[in-house]
Amino acid sequence: MILTVTPNAAVDLTYRVPRLERHGSHRVTEVTERPGGKGINVARVLAALGHDTVVTGFAGGRTGEQLRALLADAAPEKLLSWPGSVTDALVPVAAGTRRTVAVVDEESGDTTQFNEPGPLITPEEWDGFLGTYRGLLTDTGTDAVALCGSLPPGVPVGAYGTLVREARSAGVPVLLDTSGEPLLRGLAARPDLIKPNAHELAEITGTSEPLRAAHEARRRGPHTVAASLGPDGMLLVTADQVWQAVPPRLDGNPTGAGDSAVAGLLSGLVEGLPWPARLARAVALSAATVRSRVAGEFDQETYAELLPQVEVAERTPTP
Amino acid sequence: MILTVTPNAAVDLTYRVPRLERHGSHRVTEVTERPGGKGINVARVLAALGHDTVVTGFAGGRTGEQLRALLADAAPEKLLSWPGSVTDALVPVAAGTRRTVAVVDEESGDTTQFNEPGPLITPEEWDGFLGTYRGLLTDTGTDAVALCGSLPPGVPVGAYGTLVREARSAGVPVLLDTSGEPLLRGLAARPDLIKPNAHELAEITGTSEPLRAAHEARRRGPHTVAASLGPDGMLLVTADQVWQAVPPRLDGNPTGAGDSAVAGLLSGLVEGLPWPARLARAVALSAATVRSRVAGEFDQETYAELLPQVEVAERTPTP
């Protein structure tokens, strides 16, 4: 089983409009509701790939109920094409889960995104969550854990450091995918893998050249750095190797592409694949997500078609 | 008691963002949730003015539950400043109540609006609603009824004609505030009052000059036409008189200004005020809504300040 943690889970709404006009009034032609937040997206891709997953984090208020209902609706027994499962282990909180609204402009295909602020988590709720998290790490056959996304208000900024250390104590491989100060604090606790994008990497290292920045980030603690570079694919820096994987093409909506990449890396880890195969999977899943009609979903056929087309090459290990 | 009908009720979300960028990603700094839809807005303004109201229409799904919870939260026993009440007589339906999202750009003050499509109403649900509506018209001390807004999918396009005729049979004064084909069909059933804006009036008459268009609309059935003209206030055409009311100033967000005008006209009718006083109230309430921070709310102090400043003048009755 793979555990994913989403402290700032969401209900994701996608609105399609014929053409977005700043300060105009729009009739939405199509509404899609999905369970959202990075770790939940990762779990859904993992389940589609055949892995059983457990999702934890916080759920509160009416939107929290809606999130849980959407997770239950998307259970694989209802969607027969998913060979894996998503089990809800979200921790109830008093404040309401946030919504995100992605407005897709049908004329240009571009997306305008609105993210509500997350719910305020109390110190007692955070402590309660830590207990649940420890139980999930140790009680079940947890093969890996992914810590994903932003922290809602009230959660300590060093939270990911704590969660990485707990995973390492339990002997569970841990991937961290966040940004800014929460990423910096998490790095120092030495996660097995981080997956920043080029912007996040530059933000924490002050270096814009991706290979140098990835090396620099790795020096701060994580065993491996997988940097997602958009159309340039993914760069992987381990203790002694550097790999780059390039997808055949990337056009569409990038929402969720990073989460699909995390699912590709994690599934490859749990299946014991070599690094080049993990990278190829991550990049093909990203590309299949970019080309999907609904923000954050990935297209299985596109994935199967793209996977053999991804080029993975070893690069000179030092910058 | 004043009854308001909102066939296409909504949960209204207002998002504040520092600056709206087409195709950008935005952190929403403030989220406001309100019970929405024109008739519900009208009832809330009436309650704030001291009138007891009953709201009917449809509510369904999780957003329908949220709408009812928001109505209950806004009950006057909780908000002591409201001397009137809003009683929920919404009819449950299977499909989900829509949301609307108003994105306020804090830099310019302008609003970008997204309206989800309404729920599909079945013929059985429409028949059930008609029974509820007849009961509300006849069983209680209903002094007036307002029929407000768009029709959700599945409701017959001639619905407002039916609802106007039922009100007239029950001897209850009826105001109709809608647009397009539903307005044209409703007109023919001879409502006591319609309140189109300049655009809606031009759309049904083919005449863009407001006074001529208002006369033309009145010939099609309604006893009185109150045309809202934005910054130019309101034009009223009865069988033998024409009045125009002009507010001192109008700057801000026009969302809900028309609904506040309806509340002003209806409260004046029920209180037996002469037409100039009803018009002044409608125009001052509109202006106080335009100047409110939250889309659709009106500011009581601004209303009290503006009311004596509205100029009402009689105009030549024929165009």
Side-chain angles (χ1 to χ4, degrees):
Chain A
M1 180 273 282
I2 299 175
L3 175 65
T4 75
V5 177
T6 316
N8 213 357
V11 171
D12 285 348
L13 306 177
T14 303
Y15 287 175
R16 299 186 81 84
V17 300
R19 185 185 145 76
L20 178 68
E21 305 278 1
R22 246 182 116 218
H23 308 154
S25 183
H26 306 81
R27 283 181 202 269
V28 175
T29 52
E30 189 185 313
V31 180
T32 313
E33 298 186 349
R34 297 174 61 248
K38 283 177 175 286
I40 289 175
N41 295 342
V42 169
R44 286 161 57 87
V45 176
L46 284 168
L49 293 174
H51 287 273
D52 291 331
T53 64
V54 173
V55 294
T56 189
F58 304 104
R62 206 166 296 275
T63 39
E65 286 169 30
Q66 190 182 0
L67 169 63
R68 304 188 93 145
L70 287 167
L71 275 175
D73 287 347
E77 51 271 27
K78 297 193 185 167
L79 295 172
L80 291 174
S81 61
W82 282 13
S85 61
V86 177
T87 301
D88 174 356
L90 293 165
V91 173
V93 289
T97 295
R98 70 197 172 114
R99 277 169 291 234
T100 75
V101 179
V103 181
V104 179
D105 179 331
E106 296 198 308
E107 191 179 89
S108 68
D110 287 321
T111 299
T112 305
Q113 182 77 31
F114 301 99
N115 298 323
E116 294 187 7
L120 181 65
I121 307 300
T122 67
E124 294 70 29
E125 288 168 342
W126 173 245
D127 286 345
F129 167 78
L130 279 180
T132 299
Y133 176 69
R134 282 187 203 109
L136 288 165
L137 281 177
T138 53
D139 288 359
T140 56
T142 303
D143 299 315
V145 58
L147 310 174
C148 302
S150 60
L151 299 175
V155 169
V157 70
Y160 281 133
T162 307
L163 300 186
V164 167
R165 279 185 289 272
E166 293 280 352
R168 288 171 52 82
S169 301
V172 176
V174 53
L175 181 154
L176 175 62
D177 183 18
T178 186
S179 60
E181 191 64 22
L183 174 55
L184 276 174
R185 301 287 196 102
L187 282 191
R190 311 208 66 195
D192 293 273
L193 181 59
I194 63 169
K195 194 223 61 58
N197 60 32
H199 173 73
E200 290 160 352
L201 203 52
E203 194 182 43
I204 59 162
T205 62
T207 304
S208 60
E209 199 282 305
L211 183 56
R212 284 184 52 195
H215 276 288
E216 171 57 29
R218 217 190 73 81
R219 270 181 224 114
R220 300 191 182 202
H223 293 264
T224 304
V225 175
S228 51
L229 307 177
D232 295 331
M234 184 167 263
L235 184 68
L236 186 102
V237 176
T238 71
D240 49 11
Q241 283 181 307
V242 173
W243 296 91
Q244 183 150 8
V246 181
R249 57 184 174 280
L250 267 174
D251 49 326
N253 177 356
T255 307
D259 304 330
S260 293
V262 168
L265 292 168
L266 267 183
S267 63
L269 178 150
V270 166
E271 294 169 36
L273 299 185
W275 276 116
R278 293 189 207 175
L279 267 186
R281 188 180 278 188
V283 167
L285 281 169
S286 275
T289 304
V290 167
R291 292 179 60 199
S292 161
R293 182 176 159 83
V294 176
E297 299 286 348
F298 83 97
D299 185 73
Q300 298 248 19
E301 275 184 37
T302 308
Y303 168 58
E305 177 199 327
L306 293 180
L307 185 58
Q309 298 178 43
V310 177
E311 290 169 20
V312 186
E314 194 161 7
R315 287 179 58 167
T316 316
T318 46
Chain B
M1 180 276 283
I2 299 175
L3 176 64
T4 74
V5 177
T6 316
N8 213 356
V11 171
D12 285 348
L13 305 178
T14 303
Y15 286 175
R16 299 186 80 85
V17 300
R19 185 184 146 76
L20 178 68
E21 306 277 1
R22 248 183 114 216
H23 308 155
S25 183
H26 306 80
R27 283 180 202 269
V28 175
T29 52
E30 190 185 311
V31 180
T32 313
E33 299 187 348
R34 296 175 61 249
K38 283 177 174 287
I40 288 174
N41 295 342
V42 169
R44 286 161 55 89
V45 176
L46 284 168
L49 292 173
H51 288 274
D52 291 329
T53 64
V54 173
V55 294
T56 189
F58 303 105
R62 205 167 296 274
T63 40
E65 285 169 30
Q66 190 183 1
L67 170 63
R68 305 189 93 145
L70 288 167
L71 275 175
D73 286 346
E77 53 271 28
K78 296 193 186 169
L79 294 172
L80 291 173
S81 61
W82 283 13
S85 61
V86 177
T87 301
D88 174 356
L90 294 166
V91 172
V93 289
T97 294
R98 70 196 174 115
R99 276 169 293 232
T100 74
V101 179
V103 181
V104 179
D105 179 333
E106 295 198 307
E107 191 179 272
S108 68
D110 287 321
T111 298
T112 306
Q113 182 75 33
F114 301 98
N115 297 323
E116 294 187 6
L120 180 66
I121 307 300
T122 67
E124 295 69 31
E125 287 168 343
W126 173 246
D127 286 346
F129 168 77
L130 278 180
T132 300
Y133 176 70
R134 282 187 203 108
L136 288 164
L137 281 176
T138 54
D139 288 359
T140 57
T142 303
D143 300 314
V145 58
L147 310 174
C148 302
S150 60
L151 300 175
V155 169
V157 70
Y160 280 133
T162 307
L163 300 185
V164 168
R165 279 186 289 273
E166 293 280 351
R168 288 171 53 81
S169 301
V172 176
V174 53
L175 181 154
L176 176 61
D177 184 19
T178 185
S179 60
E181 190 65 23
L183 174 56
L184 276 174
R185 301 286 196 103
L187 283 190
R190 311 209 65 195
D192 293 272
L193 182 59
I194 63 169
K195 194 226 59 61
N197 61 32
H199 173 74
E200 291 160 351
L201 204 52
E203 193 182 45
I204 59 163
T205 62
T207 304
S208 61
E209 198 285 303
L211 184 56
R212 284 183 54 195
H215 276 289
E216 171 57 29
R218 216 191 72 81
R219 270 180 224 117
R220 301 190 181 202
H223 293 264
T224 304
V225 175
S228 51
L229 307 177
D232 294 333
M234 184 167 263
L235 184 68
L236 186 101
V237 176
T238 71
D240 48 12
Q241 283 180 308
V242 173
W243 295 91
Q244 183 151 8
V246 181
R249 57 183 176 280
L250 267 174
D251 49 324
N253 176 356
T255 306
D259 304 330
S260 293
V262 167
L265 293 168
L266 267 183
S267 62
L269 179 151
V270 166
E271 293 169 36
L273 299 184
W275 276 116
R278 294 189 207 176
L279 267 186
R281 187 179 278 191
V283 167
L285 281 169
S286 275
T289 304
V290 166
R291 290 180 60 199
S292 160
R293 181 175 160 83
V294 176
E297 300 286 348
F298 83 98
D299 183 72
Q300 298 248 18
E301 274 183 38
T302 308
Y303 167 58
E305 178 199 327
L306 293 180
L307 185 58
Q309 297 178 43
V310 177
E311 291 169 19
V312 186
E314 192 160 10
R315 287 180 59 167
T316 318
T318 46

